[in-house]
Structure formats: structure tokens, C-alpha cells
């Protein structure tokens, strides 16, 4: 299970640029206009072999002082509540502002690691100017320039050293299916439809994700732990940002899960928030089943289902080998089909292919369509094996692994899927020196 690190602060201090640098992927929109990052952004970061989830809490839509106060309070409080460590980013160009002081006031009460990060420090004069941030009462600070990465190494060293070690969870070896998705997509209704008439539930046990409930489910020969991320919102959080809170909960559930049942509202489609959660599950190498809920409320004809699925898979590219099940939690339409599909995906995720079979099937295919030559050098793949990992990972041993590019790796992944299945499961392909 990974840790969560949240980046908080006022608008225009460079949080999105910093976020993009840490995850080495341009996912957040970077712009100088306040309120651009209305959708929050989530990604995986890795430093010195330690992985953690990173959350950019984004800019705030400021309508008035009162609206701003309410927005900043709930964003920072949610980050404090859910994250294992907090990066508080400020801007050396503008110096200490009243908004910075508001955030610092909240963070001074926190019992978790807080890292004060002064951004845009790209010369000696600005390094001297950063001294004024001691006035925020948060102790020492780090100076960075997120635009070029200066200073981020020291900061990341300190963060990974401060992150708490996660306890090893000792429990029954049952598959864990997490029901995730944006608010109001029907996650609770789906779970209630599953367990409402189920007389085979053994017990409700405290979940390993904070406040989540694991339901041990046993029906029609299926036994697994069903992780509910829908009904765990604290009643005291009356002002919270549902989208932000939903994804923070989903992050923890996804990291613990074997298979993610991604529930979306048929009327809203595979929108940005759903895509965020989908790619979180894919990057965590989890099995995925997409459940299109409220299908009974959609006007449709005999082509609707096929066209809807095609549109979803267009948004999933290049990972399109994902089952899509059209359900109605209200009428219980196909809800057990959803579970059957999740069980099949779990079996695919834990499938092991014999080394002899891999080589027997794939080596002739590779010989007929070898990797393209690079700078006049020919790559020869000699041997293939599946790695002993919880999810499908394959090592291809060859003479020049550095010359095999992503398109050919995708070709190999497609051949693995074509001959051995793995529907609904991300596959990792690695090139190794023979």
C-alpha cells in the first residue's frame, strides 16, 4: 500500500508545474490564470524506490473572500485528513500573503509531516528573499524551481524519509474487489443490490482502508472481499468537495484492490473524473471492469450499447482490452454478470503461463515480425518468461534491449493478449539483456 502526499497552497504558486515534474508526465493543465485547475490531478511518483500517490489540489475558484475561505478550508482540511504528508507551496515572487497565512494557520495544528516549499527560487537573490517565509511558523523550508526541477531532489529525499511505513496486512487470501467511481454514479445502490438479498454474507469487517467497509461476499461459488468506497463519507464533512474526497478515497481503495469495479453514470459518460480514476487503476496495474450504471434510464435502440462501449474505449486508448458491463442497480439488471466478469478478470490477473508455452507460441511470431533494426543493428529476442509478480509481467531477453521502442512493446502485449487472454488486466512488458 502506498502513501499519499498532497500539494496545497493558493493559486498561481506553481503547484501544477511541480506536480507534472514529480510524476514525469504532463497531465495537469498549467496556466497563469486562477481557477484553471478546477479538476484535481492525481498520479504516482517514485523516488529512490519508494512509491507514493501525489495529489495536486488545484487552484481555487475565487468569487469573494467568504467563498475563498470556505473553499481553501475544505481543500486543506481534506488533504490534512487523508494524506500521509503535505507539501505547502508558496511563491517567492509574491512573498507571504494573507492566503498563505490562512493555510499555515491550519497546518500548524497538523501532526503529520508538513513540507514548506518556496517555489520559483532560481537565483541567489530569490534564495535570500525566501527567508521571510519563516514568519509562517512552519520551521525550515525547501527552495525549488519547479519549472526546471532545481531543489526537488533534496525535497523528495526528505519526503520519502518522513513517510510512515505501512503495516503489512495479514488477512484471509481472498480477492479484493473495490467499487470506485465519482459521487452519485450509483456505487452504493450497486452494492446494496448485490448484498440486499444475499443470505450468504459471513460478516462485515473493518476495512484496511480508513473507514472503508469490507464485506465478505459468498454467492454462486464466488467468495471475495467487496470494498465499498461509496458510503464512507463522514457526516461531519458537510462542506467537503465531493469530487476531491471521492478520488482520495478511491486512491486508497485502488491500491489495496485486486480488481476495480469502476461505476459510471450512463447519463454522464466516461468523463474526466471517471478517466482520472480509470488511469489510477491502470497505473496501479489493477484488474478493471467498467460498469455503466442507470442503463435503464437511457433512451436506446439495438445499436446503443455497442456505440456507447466504442466511445468509452476510444477514451481508454491504448489500454482498451477492458470489459464493459451495462447494468441497472435499481432493477438489478446484469449486477451478477458484473460480479462474474470481475471474477474472470481476477483469474486473468493471477494467471501464470508456463515458460515453455510462452516461447513455443511467441518466438515464431517474433521471428516472422522481428523488432525494427535501429542504426543498422538488429535486435534478436531469444527467450521469454513471466515474472513472479502479483500481476502479469513478462521479460523478453534479447541482445539490444535499449533499441526496442514502445510500438513494438505494444505489439508484443497484443500478441500476449491474443494467445493467452488477460482481458481486463494491464500487462507490463520488459526488455532484458540476454
Amino acid at each position: 500500500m502506498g502513501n499519499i502526499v498532497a500539494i496545497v497552497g493558493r493559486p498561481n504558486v506553481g503547484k501544477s508545474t511541480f506536480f507534472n515534474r514529480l510524476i514525469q508526465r504532463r497531465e495537469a493543465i498549467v496556466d497563469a490564470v486562477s481557477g484553471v485547475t478546477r479538476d484535481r490531478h492525481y498520479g504516482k511518483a517514485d523516488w529512490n524506490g519508494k512509491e507514493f500517490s501525489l495529489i495536486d489540489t488545484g487552484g481555487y475558484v475565487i468569487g469573494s473572500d467568504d467563498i475563498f475561505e470556505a473553499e481553501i478550508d475544505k481543500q486543506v482540511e481534506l488533504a490534512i485528513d487523508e494524506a500521509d504528508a503535505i507539501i505547502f507551496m508558496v511563491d517567492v515572487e509574491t512573498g507571504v500573503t494573507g492566503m498563505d497565512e490562512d493555510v499555515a494557520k491550519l497546518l500548524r495544528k497538523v501532526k503529520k509531516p508538513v513540507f514548506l516549499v518556496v517555489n520559483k527560487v532560481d537565483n541567489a537573490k530569490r534564495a535570500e528573499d525566501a527567508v521571510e517565509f519563516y514568519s509562517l511558523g512552519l520551521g525550515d523550508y525547501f527552495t525549488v524551481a519547479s519549472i526546471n526541477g532545481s531543489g526537488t531532489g533534496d525535497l523528495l529525499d526528505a519526503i520519502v524519509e518522513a513517510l510512515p511505513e505501512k503495516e503489512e496486512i495479514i488477512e484471509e487470501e481472498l480477492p479484493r474487489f473495490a467499487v470506485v467511481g465519482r459521487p452519485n454514479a450509483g456505487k452504493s445502490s450497486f452494492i446494496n443490490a448485490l448484498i440486499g438479498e444475499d443470505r450468504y454474507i459471513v460478516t462485515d469487517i473493518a476495512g484496511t482502508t480508513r473507514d472503508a467497509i469490507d464485506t465478505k461476499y459468498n454467492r454462486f461459488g464466488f467468495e471475495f472481499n467487496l470494498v465499498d468506497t461509496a458510503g464512507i463519507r463522514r457526516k461531519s464533512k458537510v462542506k467537503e468537495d465531493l469530487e476531491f474526497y471521492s478520488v482520495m478515497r478511491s486512491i486508497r481503495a485502488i491500491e489495496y484492490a485486486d480488481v476495480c469495479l469502476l461505476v459510471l453514470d450512463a447519463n454522464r459518460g466516461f468523463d474526466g473524473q471517471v478517466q482520472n480514476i480509470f488511469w489510477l487503476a491502470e497505473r496501479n496495474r489493477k484488474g478493471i471492469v467498467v460498469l455503466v450504471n442507470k442503463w435503464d434510464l437511457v433512451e436506446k435502440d439495438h445499436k446503443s450499447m455497442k456505440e456507447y462501449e466504442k466511445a468509452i474505449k476510444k477514451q481508454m486508448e491504448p489500454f482498451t482490452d477492458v470489459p464493459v458491463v451495462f447494468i441497472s442497480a435499481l432493477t438489478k439488471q446484469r449486477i451478477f454478470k458484473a460480479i462474474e466478469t470481475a471474477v474472470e478478470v481476477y483469474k486473468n490477473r493471477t494467471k501464470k503461463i508456463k515458460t515453455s508455452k510462452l516461447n513455443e507460441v511467441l518466438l515464431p511470431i517474433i521471428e516472422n515480425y522481428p523488432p525494427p533494426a535501429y542504426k543498422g543493428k538488429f535486435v534478436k529476442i531469444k527467450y521469454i518468461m513471466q515474472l513472479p509478480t502479483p500481476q502479469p509481467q513478462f521479460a523478453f531477453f534479447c541482445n539490444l534491449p535499449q533499441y526496442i521502442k514502445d510500438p513494438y512493446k505494444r505489439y508484443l502485449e497484443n500478441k500476449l493478449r491474443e494467445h493467452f487472454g488477460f482481458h481486463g488486466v494491464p500487462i507490463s512488458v520488459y526488455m532484458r539483456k540476454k
Side-chain angles (χ1 to χ4, degrees):
M1 165 61 185
N3 296 99
I4 294 179
V5 177
I7 308 172
V8 301
R10 60 182 174 78
N12 296 334
V13 296
K15 296 190 298 299
S16 293
T17 305
F18 183 70
F19 170 86
N20 286 331
R21 179 158 295 280
L22 291 195
I23 66 167
Q24 299 180 326
R25 191 181 287 116
R26 188 181 174 86
E27 288 184 354
I29 300 168
V30 182
D31 200 293
V33 179
S34 299
V36 165
T37 313
R38 289 193 173 92
D39 287 332
R40 282 73 188 173
H41 298 277
Y42 316 87
K44 297 288 288 187
D46 182 296
W47 187 252
N48 291 340
K50 189 160 186 176
E51 272 196 351
F52 55 91
S53 294
L54 194 69
I55 301 176
D56 168 21
T57 56
Y60 308 104
V61 183
I62 305 172
S64 69
D65 289 343
D66 289 339
I67 290 173
F68 175 75
E69 290 294 337
E71 185 72 16
I72 201 166
D73 282 356
K74 65 189 179 185
Q75 289 292 336
V76 176
E77 285 174 6
L78 280 170
I80 289 168
D81 188 41
E82 290 299 312
D84 298 292
I86 298 148
I87 295 170
F88 173 28
M89 185 162 280
V90 291
D91 181 352
V92 73
E93 288 183 351
T94 56
V96 177
T97 68
M99 295 178 189
D100 293 331
E101 289 171 348
D102 288 338
V103 179
K105 185 177 178 181
L106 286 166
L107 293 177
R108 283 197 296 269
K109 304 171 187 174
V110 175
K111 304 298 183 187
K112 300 176 183 181
V114 175
F115 299 89
L116 176 60
V117 177
V118 185
N119 193 21
K120 305 179 187 177
V121 179
D122 52 8
N123 58 51
K125 174 67 170 65
R126 288 186 171 186
E128 291 175 9
D129 293 343
V131 173
E132 72 167 298
F133 288 97
Y134 275 119
S135 67
L136 293 175
L138 292 170
D140 290 335
Y141 56 82
F142 292 82
T143 58
V144 303
S146 58
I147 198 73
N148 61 25
S150 171
T152 54
D154 291 340
L155 170 63
L156 287 168
D157 284 341
I159 289 172
V160 297
E161 186 177 339
L163 287 174
E165 291 296 327
K166 294 295 182 179
E167 296 178 10
E168 289 294 323
I169 307 301
I170 301 173
E171 58 182 28
E172 288 183 81
E173 290 296 322
L174 288 179
R176 294 177 61 86
F177 296 173
V179 182
V180 296
R182 66 180 301 155
N184 303 319
K187 298 186 296 294
S188 290
S189 300
F190 171 69
I191 290 169
N192 290 339
L194 275 177
I195 68 177
E197 299 174 1
D198 189 352
R199 300 179 185 179
Y200 296 88
I201 299 168
V202 179
T203 182
D204 284 344
I205 56 174
T208 47
T209 53
R210 300 178 193 172
D211 307 321
I213 298 299
D214 281 15
T215 300
K216 191 178 290 183
Y217 183 96
N218 187 336
R219 191 167 184 174
F220 304 134
F222 303 148
E223 187 172 11
F224 53 87
N225 283 324
L226 191 66
V227 184
D228 178 6
T229 61
I232 53 182
R233 184 162 61 95
R234 296 175 187 168
K235 291 183 174 63
S236 61
K237 298 280 183 183
V238 292
K239 294 182 179 179
E240 70 204 7
D241 184 321
L242 286 175
E243 301 292 353
F244 183 55
Y245 200 70
S246 170
V247 178
M248 291 196 80
R249 290 297 195 191
S250 294
I251 287 171
R252 292 200 182 276
I254 286 167
E255 288 182 339
Y256 275 119
D258 296 301
V259 177
C260 297
L261 297 165
L262 176 55
V263 181
L264 63 91
D265 184 334
N267 294 299
R268 300 191 68 158
F270 198 69
D271 61 15
Q273 194 68 40
V274 177
Q275 288 176 43
N276 267 331
I277 298 172
F278 174 83
W279 289 114
L280 270 175
E282 189 274 339
R283 280 197 295 272
N284 279 277
R285 319 313 281 169
K286 306 300 182 180
I288 304 172
V289 180
V290 174
L291 304 182
V292 182
N293 191 26
K294 307 182 185 178
W295 191 242
D296 55 314
L297 303 180
V298 173
E299 288 187 19
K300 47 193 172 287
D301 57 31
H302 65 287
K303 295 181 180 177
S304 298
M305 196 177 287
K306 199 169 185 179
E307 290 173 352
Y308 200 105
E309 181 174 347
K310 185 179 178 182
I312 289 176
K313 292 196 171 182
K314 181 70 177 172
Q315 299 295 324
M316 293 176 177
E317 292 178 347
F319 178 41
T320 59
D321 189 20
V322 178
V324 179
V325 183
F326 294 82
I327 67 168
S328 168
L330 185 65
T331 67
K332 298 185 172 58
Q333 181 184 29
R334 297 191 195 89
I335 60 168
F336 296 114
K337 172 68 174 174
I339 293 302
E340 288 174 1
T341 305
V343 170
E344 286 302 314
V345 168
Y346 173 76
K347 290 176 181 176
N348 289 340
R349 189 171 186 263
T350 54
K351 183 187 296 184
K352 302 298 178 189
I353 311 298
K354 288 183 179 178
T355 301
S356 58
K357 189 68 175 174
L358 275 172
N359 287 274
E360 177 190 328
V361 171
L362 292 180
L363 285 181
I365 293 171
I366 292 168
E367 190 174 337
N368 287 332
Y369 184 67
Y374 185 78
K375 295 183 177 178
K377 296 182 179 179
F378 293 91
V379 182
K380 292 186 178 179
I381 296 174
K382 305 288 185 66
Y383 182 74
I384 309 150
M385 67 175 290
Q386 184 172 359
L387 300 176
T389 52
Q391 64 277 352
Q393 297 186 340
F394 297 88
F396 289 73
F397 294 89
C398 57
N399 59 334
L400 298 166
Q402 69 272 26
Y403 293 149
I404 296 184
K405 306 303 180 187
D406 285 343
Y408 194 78
K409 289 180 183 178
R410 283 196 292 272
Y411 169 76
L412 294 175
E413 178 185 333
N414 290 336
K415 290 301 172 184
L416 283 164
R417 292 187 185 281
E418 180 183 327
H419 291 278
F420 301 109
F422 300 111
H423 188 42
V425 184
I427 294 175
S428 300
V429 171
Y430 300 103
M431 297 298 157
R432 295 285 183 262
K433 181 75 173 175
K434 173 68 176 171

